[in-house]
Structure formats: C-alpha cells, structure tokens
Amino acid sequence: MSEFKTVKSSKVTISVLMLPSHSNFSGKIHGGYILSLLDQIAFACASKFSGHYCVTASVDTVDFLNPIEVGELVTLKACVNYVGKSSMIVGIRVEAENIQTGQVKHCNSSYFTMVAKDYDGKNTNVPGLILSSQQDIKRFINCIKQISLKKERNLHEIIYDYKSEKALEELKKYNVKLEQNQ
C-alpha cells in the first residue's frame, strides 16, 4: 500500500533579515545568496515531505523579479508541487518586506527538482501527493507541462543538426559573427 501526504504537510517557511554582508557591489542582495537560501529551503521541504535525505537534481526555473534591499526581511515559502517515483518538484516563492513600512514585494519564484536518497545513496520512493485544492491541482498540472517541455527540449538537443546550412543560416538573424573553419 502506498503512503500519501498532503501538499500542506510539505510546507516550509523561513525568514531571514538581509544584512550588508549579503549585498553585491551595487548594494542589492546578491543573487547567489538568494540561490543558496532557495536550495536550503528546497532541501528542507523535500526532506520533510519524503522522510529521506534529498539532493538537488535540477533548478528548473529561477525568476528574479525585484531586487532585495539590505535591511529587508526575506521570507521564502516552499511546498511540494509534484511527485514522481523518487523525485519531487518544489515550488518556492520569495517575498521581501520593508520592516519599517510593512510593504511586501514578490522577488522570486523558483522550481527545484529534488530526489530522495536512501542510506546507501540510491534513489528511494517518495509518498504520493494528495491534491486538496484547485491551487494544488493547478501547480501539479503546471509541473507536468514543465516536465514535458524539458523532455521535448532535450530531444531537440539530440536530433538537431548544428552543422547544417539551415542552422548556420538561422544564426544570421542574431547579433553574432561566425568565424569558424568549415
């Protein structure tokens, strides 16, 4: 008999105050620092849901929407949106709050594919996912579409002839100069 868990049971939220040490040369919070926080919460979310150690298999989307300022309180909210046999897609929303004005802005949306591992480091099964709301269903279906697009893109990479005249001709519409010995 398979075990099933709700999306709600996977939810993890963390909040971190942004310090000057987290900033880049332009005085905004460094994207790499946010990526590190994203990876941490994806791990926590996937591990909590699966009950296993999890690793990051891929970062499918990271959209930086608004800059984050020093002194803002950043809150990351994560939940499992999709499960396969041993993999999970974790959706993450990042918001930054100006703690003086209370203004909140959406700064980032991300999707991490995480894989559950057993004690020997082999892939292990994860619980099934109970979809309890229209939002849960929407997110699950969007993940199915995302997986399908990824498979299509990978297939295209395998079969596309980059050396063909057609491919080289298509390059002319871009801001590139072709200097190769043919």
Side-chain angles (χ1 to χ4, degrees), residues 44 51 79 94 107 118-119 136 138 140-142 157 173 178:
C79 66
V94 179
C107 298
D118 65 15
Y119 290 109
D136 292 351
K138 176 184 169 188
F140 190 88
I141 290 171
N142 284 342
E157 291 286 326
K173 66 182 176 184
L178 189 60

Side-chain angles (χ1 to χ4, degrees), residues 11 70 98 165 171:
K11 290 188 176 183
V70 170
N98 180 314
E165 283 297 318
L171 289 175

Side-chain angles (χ1 to χ4, degrees), residues 143-155:
C143 287
I144 292 170
K145 290 177 186 175
Q146 183 179 354
I147 291 165
S148 176
L149 288 171
K150 192 175 185 180
K151 286 179 181 176
E152 187 177 312
R153 185 175 58 243
N154 290 343
L155 180 61

Side-chain angles (χ1 to χ4, degrees), residues 3-33:
E3 177 187 3
F4 286 84
K5 290 185 175 180
T6 62
V7 171
K8 186 177 181 180
S9 73
S10 75
K11 290 188 176 183
V12 175
T13 302
I14 59 172
S15 294
V16 181
L17 183 64
M18 295 297 105
L19 304 174
S21 61
H22 302 141
S23 66
N24 59 23
F25 294 112
S26 67
K28 308 295 182 195
I29 299 305
H30 195 288
Y33 179 68

